[in-house]
Amino acid sequence: MFHKVKEVYPLPGMKLSVLFSDGTTKTYDASPLPDRLDAFKPLVNENLFSNVKVDTGGYGVCWNDEIDLSSDELWEHGVTQSTPFDGLMSFADATELWGLSESALRKAVSYGKIVSGVDARKYGKQWIVTKEAMEREYGEPKRA
């Protein structure tokens, strides 16, 4: 199962905070990597480590053309963190995961299948929906 990376932030102690498209946040400890693999030795430089970014397509994270980590590694060895935003995702992310159109989700809100203010809410121009509501109405994600 592919777990798309949406955002990554460096943390003290060579740790990464990784947000996945399904709304899960994990902390990944990269500190053992330089001791185990020579390719990761440059990451002990705090300036380089802090320049982590999401790989194109969300397939992992990278620091440069030579140093990267896959989304599978981050997912499998990251520790799930509890945040107030757990299980929340944009309509765009939900439609990608479930293979739907955004108009289908807007219709689900207007018909009361997804309850505005309970299951979903609009902030400015952006709709946010709970993973729980998506699973209740549409089952497991098709493209997780």
Side-chain angles (χ1 to χ4, degrees), residues 80-97:
T80 303
Q81 299 299 306
S82 178
T83 75
F85 307 103
D86 288 348
L88 298 179
M89 63 186 81
S90 68
F91 268 22
D93 287 340
T95 58
E96 185 177 333
L97 287 169

PDB file of all heavy atoms in Angstrom, residues 80-97:
ATOM      1  N   THR A  80       3.591   6.761  14.997  1.00  0.00           N
ATOM      2  CA  THR A  80       2.375   7.563  14.828  1.00  0.00           C
ATOM      3  C   THR A  80       2.229   8.531  15.992  1.00  0.00           C
ATOM      4  O   THR A  80       2.353   8.152  17.148  1.00  0.00           O
ATOM      5  CB  THR A  80       1.139   6.658  14.727  1.00  0.00           C
ATOM      6  OG1 THR A  80       1.322   5.753  13.635  1.00  0.00           O
ATOM      7  CG2 THR A  80      -0.126   7.470  14.513  1.00  0.00           C
ATOM      8  N   GLN A  81       1.974   9.787  15.650  1.00  0.00           N
ATOM      9  CA  GLN A  81       1.802  10.837  16.644  1.00  0.00           C
ATOM     10  C   GLN A  81       0.338  11.246  16.709  1.00  0.00           C
ATOM     11  O   GLN A  81      -0.336  11.308  15.684  1.00  0.00           O
ATOM     12  CB  GLN A  81       2.647  12.070  16.287  1.00  0.00           C
ATOM     13  CG  GLN A  81       4.128  11.793  16.238  1.00  0.00           C
ATOM     14  CD  GLN A  81       4.659  11.308  17.574  1.00  0.00           C
ATOM     15  OE1 GLN A  81       4.478  11.951  18.589  1.00  0.00           O
ATOM     16  NE2 GLN A  81       5.311  10.164  17.561  1.00  0.00           N
ATOM     17  N   SER A  82      -0.114  11.531  17.889  1.00  0.00           N
ATOM     18  CA  SER A  82      -1.472  12.002  18.074  1.00  0.00           C
ATOM     19  C   SER A  82      -1.470  13.528  17.980  1.00  0.00           C
ATOM     20  O   SER A  82      -0.693  14.187  18.671  1.00  0.00           O
ATOM     21  CB  SER A  82      -1.997  11.559  19.440  1.00  0.00           C
ATOM     22  OG  SER A  82      -3.292  12.041  19.643  1.00  0.00           O
ATOM     23  N   THR A  83      -2.301  14.069  17.093  1.00  0.00           N
ATOM     24  CA  THR A  83      -2.414  15.517  16.943  1.00  0.00           C
ATOM     25  C   THR A  83      -3.896  15.883  16.893  1.00  0.00           C
ATOM     26  O   THR A  83      -4.744  15.018  16.631  1.00  0.00           O
ATOM     27  CB  THR A  83      -1.740  16.027  15.645  1.00  0.00           C
ATOM     28  OG1 THR A  83      -2.574  15.691  14.529  1.00  0.00           O
ATOM     29  CG2 THR A  83      -0.349  15.446  15.463  1.00  0.00           C
ATOM     30  N   PRO A  84      -4.217  17.146  17.101  1.00  0.00           N
ATOM     31  CA  PRO A  84      -5.628  17.564  16.995  1.00  0.00           C
ATOM     32  C   PRO A  84      -6.169  17.442  15.569  1.00  0.00           C
ATOM     33  O   PRO A  84      -7.365  17.521  15.362  1.00  0.00           O
ATOM     34  CB  PRO A  84      -5.609  19.031  17.429  1.00  0.00           C
ATOM     35  CG  PRO A  84      -4.313  19.254  18.082  1.00  0.00           C
ATOM     36  CD  PRO A  84      -3.370  18.224  17.572  1.00  0.00           C
ATOM     37  N   PHE A  85      -5.288  17.220  14.598  1.00  0.00           N
ATOM     38  CA  PHE A  85      -5.696  17.182  13.201  1.00  0.00           C
ATOM     39  C   PHE A  85      -5.768  15.765  12.639  1.00  0.00           C
ATOM     40  O   PHE A  85      -5.966  15.576  11.448  1.00  0.00           O
ATOM     41  CB  PHE A  85      -4.727  18.021  12.357  1.00  0.00           C
ATOM     42  CG  PHE A  85      -4.575  19.406  12.897  1.00  0.00           C
ATOM     43  CD1 PHE A  85      -3.446  19.752  13.626  1.00  0.00           C
ATOM     44  CD2 PHE A  85      -5.557  20.351  12.725  1.00  0.00           C
ATOM     45  CE1 PHE A  85      -3.306  21.017  14.154  1.00  0.00           C
ATOM     46  CE2 PHE A  85      -5.430  21.623  13.243  1.00  0.00           C
ATOM     47  CZ  PHE A  85      -4.305  21.960  13.964  1.00  0.00           C
ATOM     48  N   ASP A  86      -5.621  14.764  13.503  1.00  0.00           N
ATOM     49  CA  ASP A  86      -5.667  13.381  13.060  1.00  0.00           C
ATOM     50  C   ASP A  86      -6.962  13.098  12.322  1.00  0.00           C
ATOM     51  O   ASP A  86      -8.047  13.464  12.769  1.00  0.00           O
ATOM     52  CB  ASP A  86      -5.548  12.416  14.244  1.00  0.00           C
ATOM     53  CG  ASP A  86      -4.167  12.382  14.846  1.00  0.00           C
ATOM     54  OD1 ASP A  86      -3.234  12.924  14.229  1.00  0.00           O
ATOM     55  OD2 ASP A  86      -4.015  11.826  15.941  1.00  0.00           O
ATOM     56  N   GLY A  87      -6.828  12.413  11.193  1.00  0.00           N
ATOM     57  CA  GLY A  87      -8.003  11.987  10.442  1.00  0.00           C
ATOM     58  C   GLY A  87      -8.675  13.073   9.634  1.00  0.00           C
ATOM     59  O   GLY A  87      -9.719  12.831   9.050  1.00  0.00           O
ATOM     60  N   LEU A  88      -8.087  14.274   9.591  1.00  0.00           N
ATOM     61  CA  LEU A  88      -8.657  15.353   8.776  1.00  0.00           C
ATOM     62  C   LEU A  88      -7.904  15.423   7.456  1.00  0.00           C
ATOM     63  O   LEU A  88      -6.685  15.260   7.420  1.00  0.00           O
ATOM     64  CB  LEU A  88      -8.542  16.699   9.485  1.00  0.00           C
ATOM     65  CG  LEU A  88      -9.285  16.839  10.799  1.00  0.00           C
ATOM     66  CD1 LEU A  88      -9.039  18.232  11.387  1.00  0.00           C
ATOM     67  CD2 LEU A  88     -10.769  16.595  10.609  1.00  0.00           C
ATOM     68  N   MET A  89      -8.634  15.645   6.385  1.00  0.00           N
ATOM     69  CA  MET A  89      -7.984  15.786   5.085  1.00  0.00           C
ATOM     70  C   MET A  89      -8.803  16.714   4.203  1.00  0.00           C
ATOM     71  O   MET A  89      -9.995  16.918   4.425  1.00  0.00           O
ATOM     72  CB  MET A  89      -7.806  14.423   4.427  1.00  0.00           C
ATOM     73  CG  MET A  89      -9.086  13.701   4.104  1.00  0.00           C
ATOM     74  SD  MET A  89      -8.821  12.036   3.486  1.00  0.00           S
ATOM     75  CE  MET A  89      -8.563  11.190   5.024  1.00  0.00           C
ATOM     76  N   SER A  90      -8.137  17.268   3.221  1.00  0.00           N
ATOM     77  CA  SER A  90      -8.820  18.135   2.270  1.00  0.00           C
ATOM     78  C   SER A  90      -9.690  17.291   1.349  1.00  0.00           C
ATOM     79  O   SER A  90      -9.465  16.084   1.186  1.00  0.00           O
ATOM     80  CB  SER A  90      -7.791  18.915   1.440  1.00  0.00           C
ATOM     81  OG  SER A  90      -7.089  18.034   0.582  1.00  0.00           O
ATOM     82  N   PHE A  91     -10.676  17.914   0.741  1.00  0.00           N
ATOM     83  CA  PHE A  91     -11.486  17.210  -0.248  1.00  0.00           C
ATOM     84  C   PHE A  91     -10.588  16.687  -1.365  1.00  0.00           C
ATOM     85  O   PHE A  91     -10.802  15.591  -1.874  1.00  0.00           O
ATOM     86  CB  PHE A  91     -12.557  18.139  -0.836  1.00  0.00           C
ATOM     87  CG  PHE A  91     -13.879  18.103  -0.108  1.00  0.00           C
ATOM     88  CD1 PHE A  91     -13.986  17.675   1.205  1.00  0.00           C
ATOM     89  CD2 PHE A  91     -15.025  18.509  -0.749  1.00  0.00           C
ATOM     90  CE1 PHE A  91     -15.208  17.648   1.858  1.00  0.00           C
ATOM     91  CE2 PHE A  91     -16.265  18.493  -0.114  1.00  0.00           C
ATOM     92  CZ  PHE A  91     -16.350  18.052   1.187  1.00  0.00           C
ATOM     93  N   ALA A  92      -9.564  17.470  -1.750  1.00  0.00           N
ATOM     94  CA  ALA A  92      -8.669  17.043  -2.830  1.00  0.00           C
ATOM     95  C   ALA A  92      -7.956  15.744  -2.458  1.00  0.00           C
ATOM     96  O   ALA A  92      -7.886  14.813  -3.273  1.00  0.00           O
ATOM     97  CB  ALA A  92      -7.659  18.143  -3.137  1.00  0.00           C
ATOM     98  N   ASP A  93      -7.446  15.652  -1.239  1.00  0.00           N
ATOM     99  CA  ASP A  93      -6.780  14.420  -0.811  1.00  0.00           C
ATOM    100  C   ASP A  93      -7.775  13.270  -0.714  1.00  0.00           C
ATOM    101  O   ASP A  93      -7.485  12.144  -1.119  1.00  0.00           O
ATOM    102  CB  ASP A  93      -6.081  14.614   0.535  1.00  0.00           C
ATOM    103  CG  ASP A  93      -4.830  15.464   0.437  1.00  0.00           C
ATOM    104  OD1 ASP A  93      -4.278  15.604  -0.679  1.00  0.00           O
ATOM    105  OD2 ASP A  93      -4.395  16.001   1.477  1.00  0.00           O
ATOM    106  N   ALA A  94      -8.961  13.535  -0.179  1.00  0.00           N
ATOM    107  CA  ALA A  94      -9.977  12.487  -0.043  1.00  0.00           C
ATOM    108  C   ALA A  94     -10.399  11.964  -1.410  1.00  0.00           C
ATOM    109  O   ALA A  94     -10.542  10.752  -1.599  1.00  0.00           O
ATOM    110  CB  ALA A  94     -11.187  13.018   0.728  1.00  0.00           C
ATOM    111  N   THR A  95     -10.592  12.856  -2.366  1.00  0.00           N
ATOM    112  CA  THR A  95     -11.012  12.409  -3.702  1.00  0.00           C
ATOM    113  C   THR A  95      -9.922  11.570  -4.357  1.00  0.00           C
ATOM    114  O   THR A  95     -10.227  10.586  -5.035  1.00  0.00           O
ATOM    115  CB  THR A  95     -11.386  13.588  -4.619  1.00  0.00           C
ATOM    116  OG1 THR A  95     -10.269  14.467  -4.743  1.00  0.00           O
ATOM    117  CG2 THR A  95     -12.581  14.342  -4.077  1.00  0.00           C
ATOM    118  N   GLU A  96      -8.674  11.932  -4.134  1.00  0.00           N
ATOM    119  CA  GLU A  96      -7.571  11.145  -4.688  1.00  0.00           C
ATOM    120  C   GLU A  96      -7.525   9.752  -4.054  1.00  0.00           C
ATOM    121  O   GLU A  96      -7.377   8.747  -4.742  1.00  0.00           O
ATOM    122  CB  GLU A  96      -6.241  11.874  -4.472  1.00  0.00           C
ATOM    123  CG  GLU A  96      -5.068  11.183  -5.115  1.00  0.00           C
ATOM    124  CD  GLU A  96      -3.776  11.946  -4.953  1.00  0.00           C
ATOM    125  OE1 GLU A  96      -3.808  13.190  -4.810  1.00  0.00           O
ATOM    126  OE2 GLU A  96      -2.724  11.294  -4.961  1.00  0.00           O
ATOM    127  N   LEU A  97      -7.681   9.693  -2.740  1.00  0.00           N
ATOM    128  CA  LEU A  97      -7.615   8.411  -2.034  1.00  0.00           C
ATOM    129  C   LEU A  97      -8.790   7.495  -2.374  1.00  0.00           C
ATOM    130  O   LEU A  97      -8.630   6.285  -2.469  1.00  0.00           O
ATOM    131  CB  LEU A  97      -7.564   8.640  -0.526  1.00  0.00           C
ATOM    132  CG  LEU A  97      -6.248   9.166   0.027  1.00  0.00           C
ATOM    133  CD1 LEU A  97      -6.415   9.600   1.477  1.00  0.00           C
ATOM    134  CD2 LEU A  97      -5.155   8.123  -0.091  1.00  0.00           C
TER     135      LEU A  97
END
